[in-house]
Amino acid sequence: MSSVAQKSGFGATLWDWLTTVDHKKIGILYLLGGLFFFVLGGIEAMIIRLQLITPNNDLVSAGLFNDLITMHGTTMIFLAAMPILFGFMNAIMPLQIGARDVAFPFINSLGFWMFAFGGLFLNISWLFGEVPDAGWTSYASLSLHSPGHGVDFYAIGLQIAGGGTLMAGINFLVTIINMRAPGMTYMRMPLFTWTTFVASAMILFAFPPLTVGLFFLTFDRMFGGNFFDHTMGGNTIIWEHIFWIFGHPEVYILILPAFGIFSEVFSVFARKRLFGYTAMVFATVLIGFLGFMVWAHHMFTVGLGPTANAIFAVATMAIAVPTGVKIFNWLLTMWGGSIKVTTPMLYALGFIPSFVMGGVTGVMQGAAPLDYQLHDSYFIVAHFHYVIVGGVVLGIFAGLHYWWPKMFGTMLNELLGKITFVFFFVGFHMTFLIQHWLGFWGMPRRVWTFMDGQGWNIANLVSTIGALLMAIGFTVMVINIIMTTIKNEPVGNDPWGDGRTLEWAIPSPPPFYNFPATPLVRGLDTLWIEKMEGSKEMITPAEPITDIHMPNGSIIPMLMTLGLFIAGFGAMFHQETSWGLGVLIFGLAFTFVAMAARSLKDDLGYYVTKEQILQDQENSKRGRN
Amino acid sequence: MIKGLKKWRLFSLLAVFALFMAGCGNEEISTFQPAGQVANDQFKLLLLASGIMLLVIIVVVIIYTVALFRFRRSKLGEDHIPEQVEGSHTLELLWTFIPIVLLLILAIPTVHYTYKLGDVKAMEAVDDDGNAENLVVDVTAKLYWWEFEYPDLGIVTAQELVVPTDEKVYFNLIAADVKHSFWIPSVGGKLDTNVENVNKFYLSFEKESEGLKDGVFYGKCAELCGPSHALMDFKVKTLPRDQFDSWVAAMQETAEEPVVANADGEEVFSQSCIGCHAVSGVGESGAQGPNLASFGDRNRVAGFLEHDEENLKDWIRDTQKHKPGNTMPSFSKDQISDEDLDALAEYLMGLKVAK
């Protein structure tokens, strides 16, 4: 079937999206999936804050509160932040390196479906009324102790989603290594591509420990494994090590792509190349490396002994150095530039002070003896929200406004964008700044209520009002997205006017084959070079236009994941039901059959002919005039 | 001269900072008002770290603000193309080197205090007669309550830790069911109670709790441990050494001459409660429920409710309503009649050791 002659109608469109292997469409799927879970996690957050608005509040019960905090954390990290970033990586990174696709389009689709079904599995727990309640860290003694199937949903859901993440990471790594356009050396790659690269490498090393940990947990809970059960010779602290060997790098997996987005935004809207590009690259790599060396700073109070604590304390502080280099390089990128405060730039500007504050409180916790006071207090809640919201979420919002025209061919409303920013930013600081003091005043984290008369009332009230402002800000953004989509005013290649990297050289949204001819890259900020030389086409082709080979779409990735999804329920219910084991086997067999179908049937893809491409170019030119 | 001035400025800044921080929070629970050497060391480290970090924030915000105001496109014109600067080795070295120095300033006391606060060698020390030189308390964290055993004194109590002031008190910490974390914010940083191994650390209590709002310091569980994690509070009473000794003696006496405020209540207790709760302070840890020998002296019912008979009776009637997930059964009217409950409450409130 030629993909050029598209069928129309709802069914055909749906089928197209279910089977797509186009990296840009998968990027959009990730984005939509991530935003959906972001809304879900946000609602959970709002209920948490409403419960804590006054002392002795009884809006939700103690058990439900623990469900909410667990799902809020898990959802935001695994199902919102990471997938949205994957959305940008998928949609933008191949364009930035001048590639036509990712290295493994089929695996790319499989990764997305595993995320989608893993997230679905986790959240179906709400319908069963047995929700994970041991915290997003699911420390072993509590997670083994937790009755019902809540933690089972956590273990299996994250296992499926985590598999998808690992695949996506490997795919991005291979893509960046193998599919760069001619001339795109490593030291000419845009910073977002670099951070994608380092984050993917981190995924490659961080996710296997999580997989192992979840496997142990699954076997302890569902098959009597006794890895963590100390009454049977297991050890719960092993879980903590395994979890944080994954969990700490995970933080950098989230923040590095956000750093990448900000690097792009700063240099575009300051109309200046990134200051200290080389240092930025090395800082990124160094942060990636150090990210694996510091996991035990989450465990200073576990009782590791002074030597271990001292080593991990100093290692943790060391991360501040490359991060500081980055901050000052961003500042110097602005210095001497021509700064235009667009919505994405506004987020980048909001990011600097917010993230610096989150970073310095991280160093404070790195001082182990001080952490004895801070650990598991509200100070920690404040710190990591400053890093995750002040860094990652602001980065996501910046990227959303920045790349929206490239991904969808239409521009989000600037005024609404700025209104969103003001509400969100003010609300964010109002919510979390005061929480540092709550920690100092002795309030532990993860408490579903608190007694009157401990000096915490007003601070909690302020915090909750701040959270409401954030919710208003986000609502305005959703309205913005809906309005923009309905209006659908098309934009040109480079709607911001100052694009520097290759993605701005091609139409918005790009044709499905991205580049009619592979571009030739002649330096950092390829498009900027072309602009400065006054080149008309904005792209120097590395080769003449020829037929382009493209992969076929496939429903198999979705079917493979569906099998795992079914098998998950089987594993969970096999103890109390007679059908559980059968379902487990059926689900796995289903997946294996789908895999066999993929292996045994050759799928050679198809060619887009040269004539077709030339026709497209002609049409788009006519459309522009 | 200039240098001296700068130092003086920094010092006064820190002093103001300390004053500002100390003014915040409630004395019985705030880390800003350290009531002992450990908390004090940690507070000093906090001031140092905050000072350095505030400095970093101020520098960044200054550069940021200046850049933002000087280099706006609205001022420079739409068509202005700035010079495409590659970078600057000097500057980049500068902001690599300065943070390293700042971190070293923080790292040295960090390492020092890590070892100082982790030093529990004195725990096993004994004098010539083989008696322990230092007070050791074994803490067992259980689902939503705390048990404190004084192994060298042969006594045990729960929910309210009693310690002497002005000496180091050493702790052995363990959890009986799931992991918890032992934290007395105003006295010193926390340590986890793991299920598989004993953690050791020391705290030192230098302020008597008598003058505080409730006459006690507040202690908290800091590790998520189930539905009632938020309610797993305990209280700390600090006494001068001589008063502590008499408290210990009184606790030891509870084995011989039990206090009976209401004989009917005692009867009810021995029928319904004695399986889990002891009323003699002499013993070891490992009981099903909290030791009630000093119940009448306590500050809270179930660790967090106001200490009165009404709350006590409410608690016994419906324990799950107050502390969901805890392991104490509720007692209905069929099990304990209203009159019996009144007697029981009076009896329990009469269990006092402090004179």
Side-chain angles (χ1 to χ4, degrees), chain A residues 235-411:
Chain A
N235 187 315
T236 59
I237 294 171
I238 295 290
W239 166 267
E240 295 180 33
H241 279 292
I242 293 176
F243 185 84
W244 287 118
I245 284 173
F246 146 77
H248 195 78
E250 169 69 16
V251 180
Y252 294 96
I253 292 169
L254 295 177
I255 197 67
L256 285 180
F259 283 175
I261 294 171
F262 287 127
S263 299
E264 307 281 306
V265 168
F266 275 121
S267 69
V268 166
F269 296 108
R271 210 179 255 172
K272 206 164 146 259
R273 70 171 275 177
L274 193 66
F275 191 87
Y277 170 84
T278 321
M280 292 296 253
V281 169
F282 281 106
T284 305
V285 176
L286 194 62
I287 291 173
F289 176 76
L290 286 175
F292 282 94
M293 301 293 136
V294 299
W295 79 91
H297 69 211
H298 296 265
M299 301 167 67
F300 281 149
T301 66
V302 168
L304 298 178
T307 306
N309 278 1
I311 290 171
F312 280 101
V314 175
T316 301
M317 291 179 189
I319 291 197
V321 176
T323 314
V325 167
K326 279 180 162 269
I327 298 280
F328 284 105
N329 277 334
W330 285 320
L331 290 178
L332 263 282
T333 304
M334 294 202 295
W335 195 277
S338 164
I339 301 169
K340 184 172 185 187
V341 184
T342 58
T343 305
M345 187 62 169
L346 203 51
Y347 282 105
L349 291 172
F351 153 79
I352 293 250
S354 313
F355 188 78
V356 169
M357 284 164 70
V360 296
T361 52
V363 178
M364 288 168 74
Q365 286 160 51
L370 182 51
D371 183 68
Y372 301 159
Q373 283 286 23
L374 305 178
H375 184 75
D376 270 342
S377 77
Y378 251 82
F379 186 90
I380 302 295
V381 179
H383 158 71
F384 69 70
H385 281 96
Y386 260 84
V387 174
I388 303 272
V389 182
V392 182
V393 176
L394 292 186
I396 283 173
F397 287 179
L400 207 62
H401 288 89
Y402 179 58
W403 279 315
W404 192 271
K406 185 49 64 186
M407 289 174 77
F408 297 97
T410 173
M411 195 102 156

Side-chain angles (χ1 to χ4, degrees), chain B residues 270-331:
Chain B
S270 61
Q271 279 166 13
S272 305
C273 319
I274 202 124
C276 301
H277 297 281
V279 282
S280 158
V282 175
E284 291 174 350
S285 62
Q288 276 265 293
N291 185 301
L292 300 178
S294 58
F295 186 81
D297 299 328
R298 283 190 197 150
N299 186 270
R300 291 287 195 277
V301 171
F304 72 101
L305 296 166
E306 288 298 325
H307 198 68
D308 55 40
E309 287 192 21
E310 274 319 299
N311 275 332
L312 176 60
K313 286 187 274 186
D314 269 2
W315 163 252
I316 295 171
R317 280 273 182 255
D318 193 350
T319 62
Q320 292 305 316
K321 185 184 84 189
H322 294 288
K323 243 184 184 180
N326 91 92
T327 54
M328 174 164 162
S330 298
F331 291 87

Side-chain angles (χ1 to χ4, degrees), chain A residues 168-219:
Chain A
I170 292 171
N171 199 359
F172 293 142
L173 269 183
V174 179
T175 303
I176 294 173
I177 292 173
N178 277 340
M179 301 190 54
R180 282 166 293 135
M184 177 64 81
T185 61
Y186 282 103
M187 294 315 283
R188 285 176 182 175
M189 291 193 322
L191 240 273
F192 180 68
T193 300
W194 256 113
T195 52
T196 301
F197 185 61
V198 176
S200 302
M202 296 185 79
I203 287 172
L204 184 64
F205 291 104
F207 270 72
L210 177 71
T211 307
V212 171
L214 291 172
F215 181 84
F216 284 179
L217 187 61
T218 309
F219 267 67

Side-chain angles (χ1 to χ4, degrees), chain A residues 154-168:
Chain A
Y154 171 93
I156 297 172
L158 284 191
Q159 191 73 282
I160 297 174
T165 307
L166 186 56
M167 286 180 196

